[in-house]
C-alpha cells in the first residue's frame, strides 16, 4: 500500500555564504553581500546567497512555501505575532529568487504561531490555515486562486494556547483535517467536513505541546499524528484506524522531554518515516522507525550546548536522503548532512548568530531544481537562503 507522505509541520561542513542580498525589496534598501568563507562546501549543494524578506526585525514565527497566485512559481507566507498581534505577510515569487509583497491578508493583526498551506475545500487552490494563540480565533483563509484571501471559517477554541499545527486527511474523506499543538493544555484533532465545519476532539494524554505532525508512521497507508511534548512529558505517535479514531498511542523519545523542534522524514531510506527532534538539555536525535511505528532510543546528532527552536527535513544534497536543518537562539543555523544511512550526520553552521529562528521552510524558490530555505526569525530580519547550484 502506498505510504502517505508527511504533511506540514507545517519541512546541509561549512559554506561560503553571502550574508545579505544586494537588491531592494518593496522600497527597502538591502544590505550588501558579505561572503563568509567556510570550508567543506563540497559535501553540500552550496554556496548560498541570502535574500532579505524585510528590513524589520520584529516577531515572525514561521514560514510556508507554495504557489498562492497560480502562476507556477513558489511564493512565501511569513507568519507573525506569537504573543503580540501582528499582520502576517505574503511574498510573491517570480521563479528567479525575487519576491514582492502580495495582497494583504484579511485576518488583520493576530498572535500567529504557524500557518499551513493546503487545499481545504478541493477547489484546486492553496488556502491558509492559521494557528493563533489565545485569545485569537483559529482561522481558515480561502484563496480565490490569484492570491487573494477571505476568511472562510474557524476551527477549535479561541482560548486554546495554540502553537504549531499540521494538516492532512485523517478520516479518509479526501478533505484535509487539522492537528493542533496546544501548550499547557490538551492538543486536539479537528475533522473537516469539506465545508470548513470542524469537529474537534482531544488527543488522550497530551498535556502540553508546541509542535505536531501528520504522517503515516506504521505503513498502513493511513495518516497518524506525531505529538511532541513541550513540558516534561512523554512524546507519542497516535495511530489512526483510518476514520479519525486513534486506537493506539506509541511512545517515542525520553519519558520526560521538552521539545520545540521536530521533523518527520525517511532518514535511512528503508521506506519507513522516522522522527528527528531536539529535547531541550539533551541535544538532537534521530529516532528510527522499525516499520510498525516503534522507535529506538535515538541516534544523537548533536549535544546539548545549544537551544533549538525550529527544525525541518529536506534533501538539500539531492541524494534521496533528507538532511536536517535546525534553528537556534543567537547561534548560526546548522544543517546536519545525512551520510545516506540515516545514522551519521555532519554539522554545517551557516548564517549569522543574531536572532531566534522560530520557523523554517524549504522549497525551490528560484527554479534551479535545488531546495532553498526560508528563515523566519525574531530579533533580526527574516531571509531566504538561495542555493547556488554547483557548476560541473
Amino acid at each position: 500500500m502506498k505510504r502517505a507522505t508527511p504533511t506540514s509541520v507545517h519541512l546541509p561542513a561549512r559554506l561560503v555564504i553571502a550574508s545579505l542580498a544586494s537588491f531592494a525589496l518593496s522600497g527597502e534598501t538591502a544590505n550588501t553581500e558579505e561572503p563568509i568563507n567556510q570550508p567543506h562546501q563540497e559535501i553540500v549543494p552550496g554556496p548560498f546567497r541570502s535574500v532579505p524578506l524585510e528590513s524589520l526585525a520584529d516577531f515572525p514565527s514561521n514560514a510556508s512555501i507554495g504557489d498562492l497566485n497560480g502562476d507556477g512559481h513558489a511564493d512565501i507566507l511569513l507568519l507573525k505575532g506569537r504573543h503580540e498581534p501582528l499582520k502576517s505577510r505574503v511574498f510573491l515569487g517570480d521563479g528567479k529568487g525575487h519576491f514582492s509583497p502580495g495582497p494583504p491578508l484579511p485576518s488583520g493583526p493576530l498572535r500567529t504561531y504557524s500557518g499551513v498551506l493546503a487545499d481545504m475545500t478541493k477547489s484546486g487552490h492553496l488556502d491558509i490555515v492559521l494557528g493563533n494563540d489565545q485569545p485569537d480565533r483559529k482561522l481558515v483563509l480561502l484563496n480565490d486562486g490569484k492570491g487573494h484571501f477571505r476568511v472562510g471559517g474557524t476551527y477549535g477554541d479561541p482560548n486554546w494556547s495554540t502553537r504549531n499545527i499540521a494538516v492532512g486527511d485523517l478520516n479518509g474523506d479526501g478533505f484535509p483535517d487539522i492537528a493542533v499543538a496546544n501548550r499547557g493544555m490538551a492538543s486536539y484533532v479537528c475533522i473537516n467536513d469539506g465545508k470548513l465545519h470542524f469537529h474537534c476532539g482531544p488527543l488522550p494524554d497530551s498535556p502540553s505541546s508546541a509542535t505536531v505532525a501528520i504522517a503515516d508512521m506504521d505503513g498502513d497507508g493511513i495518516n497518524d499524528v506525531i505529538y511532541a511534548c513541550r513540558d516534561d512529558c512523554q512524546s507519542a505517535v497516535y495511530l489512526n484506524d483510518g476514520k479519525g479514531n486513534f486506537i493506539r498511542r506509541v511512545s517515542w523519545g525520553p519519558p520526560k522531554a521538552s521539545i520545540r523542534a521536530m521533523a518527520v522524514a525517511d532518514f535511512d531510506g528503508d521506506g519507513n518515516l522516522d522522527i528527528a527532534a531536539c529535547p531541550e538539555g539533551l541535544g538532537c536525535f534521530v529516532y528510527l522507525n522499525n516499520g510498525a511505528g516503534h522507535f529506538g532510543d535515538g541516534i544523537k546528532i548533536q549535544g546539548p550546548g545549544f537551544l533549538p527552536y525550529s527544525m525541518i527535513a529536506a534533501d538539500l544534497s539531492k541524494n534521496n536522503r533528507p538532511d536536517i536543518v535546525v534553528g537556534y537562539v543567537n547561534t548560526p543555523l546548522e544543517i546536519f548532512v545525512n551520510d545516506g544511512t540515516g545514522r551519521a550526520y555532519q554539522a554545517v553552521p551557516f548564517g549569522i548568530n543574531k536572532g531566534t529562528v522560530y520557523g523554517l521552510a524549504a522549497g525551490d524558490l528560484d527554479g534551479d531544481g535545488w531546495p532553498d530555505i526560508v528563515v523566519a526569525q525574531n530579533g533580526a530580519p527574516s531571509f531566504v537562503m538561495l542555493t547556488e547550484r554547483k557548476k560541473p
Side-chain angles (χ1 to χ4, degrees), residues 76-91:
I76 297 171
L77 173 64
L78 183 65
L79 292 313
K80 292 190 176 191
R82 295 174 34 248
H83 305 298
E84 183 77 19
L86 290 173
K87 293 182 179 180
S88 297
R89 300 183 67 186
V90 168
F91 295 91

Side-chain angles (χ1 to χ4, degrees), residues 251-267:
S251 298
W252 65 270
K256 289 191 175 184
S258 297
I259 297 172
R260 284 187 175 95
M262 178 182 70
V264 175
D266 181 6
F267 293 110

Side-chain angles (χ1 to χ4, degrees), residues 226-239:
I226 305 93
Y227 164 90
C229 173
R230 177 62 184 87
D231 295 294
D232 296 320
C233 52
Q234 178 68 65
S235 299
V237 173
Y238 291 84
L239 296 176

Side-chain angles (χ1 to χ4, degrees), residues 36-366:
I36 303 173
N37 293 318
Q38 298 176 327
H40 310 303
Q41 70 181 64
E42 68 278 359
I43 72 168
V44 289
F48 291 90
R49 61 185 175 94
S50 178
V51 177
L53 285 175
E54 309 180 290
S55 61
L56 297 173
D58 54 5
F59 299 102
S61 55
N62 223 317
S64 291
I65 295 173
D67 181 8
L68 297 177
N69 61 351
D71 64 355
H73 304 310
D75 309 307
I76 297 171
L77 173 64
L78 183 65
L79 292 313
K80 292 190 176 191
R82 295 174 34 248
H83 305 298
E84 183 77 19
L86 290 173
K87 293 182 179 180
S88 297
R89 300 183 67 186
V90 168
F91 295 91
L92 300 177
D94 65 356
K96 300 178 181 178
H98 307 121
F99 307 94
S100 59
L105 296 176
S107 46
L110 293 169
R111 299 165 181 84
T112 301
Y113 263 87
S114 56
V116 177
L117 304 179
D119 182 359
M120 298 299 290
T121 61
K122 297 185 182 179
S123 67
H125 312 309
L126 288 177
D127 308 307
I128 299 173
V129 184
L130 293 176
N132 301 323
D133 195 8
Q134 60 186 352
D136 295 340
R137 295 184 302 163
K138 306 359 174 172
L139 298 177
V140 178
L141 307 182
L142 290 181
N143 187 354
D144 68 356
K146 299 180 180 179
H148 298 91
F149 294 85
R150 64 179 177 86
V151 176
T154 64
Y155 66 94
D157 187 333
N159 292 316
W160 289 351
S161 53
T162 298
R163 299 303 189 252
N164 284 289
I165 59 173
V167 173
D169 183 10
L170 293 171
N171 65 345
D173 66 355
F175 292 103
D177 308 303
I178 307 170
V180 187
N182 294 324
R183 187 169 186 190
M185 60 178 65
S187 292
Y188 280 75
V189 166
C190 296
I191 302 299
N192 177 11
D193 70 354
K195 299 179 181 179
L196 301 184
H197 303 125
F198 295 90
H199 173 72
C200 300
L203 289 171
D205 194 12
S206 59
S208 183
S209 181
T211 187
V212 66
I214 293 176
D216 175 17
M217 302 304 289
D218 57 358
D220 62 357
I222 299 168
N223 277 324
D224 308 303
V225 174
I226 305 93
Y227 164 90
C229 173
R230 177 62 184 87
D231 295 294
D232 296 320
C233 52
Q234 178 68 65
S235 299
V237 173
Y238 291 84
L239 296 176
N240 185 2
D241 68 355
K243 299 179 181 180
N245 303 307
F246 298 95
I247 54 177
R248 195 154 56 95
R249 184 180 186 272
V250 178
S251 298
W252 65 270
K256 289 191 175 184
S258 297
I259 297 172
R260 284 187 175 95
M262 178 182 70
V264 175
D266 181 6
F267 293 110
D268 59 358
D270 66 353
N272 303 309
L273 294 174
D274 311 303
I275 301 171
C278 298
E280 289 181 15
L282 298 177
C284 295
F285 298 79
V286 172
Y287 301 92
L288 296 178
N289 184 354
N290 72 352
H294 296 281
F295 304 87
D297 293 335
I299 298 165
K300 182 177 283 190
I301 63 174
Q302 185 201 66
F306 303 104
L307 182 57
Y309 260 60
S310 55
M311 174 188 286
I312 56 170
D315 183 10
L316 299 174
S317 303
K318 293 185 69 175
N319 62 356
N320 297 316
R321 293 291 185 274
D323 307 301
I324 301 169
V325 187
V326 181
Y328 302 102
V329 179
N330 294 326
T331 300
L333 292 92
E334 281 190 297
I335 301 170
F336 293 90
V337 182
N338 188 347
D339 75 346
T341 69
R343 297 177 176 274
Y345 299 80
Q346 186 165 358
V348 185
F350 74 97
I352 57 176
N353 60 350
K354 294 181 180 179
T356 299
V357 180
Y358 271 89
L360 298 160
D364 182 9
L365 294 167
D366 56 4

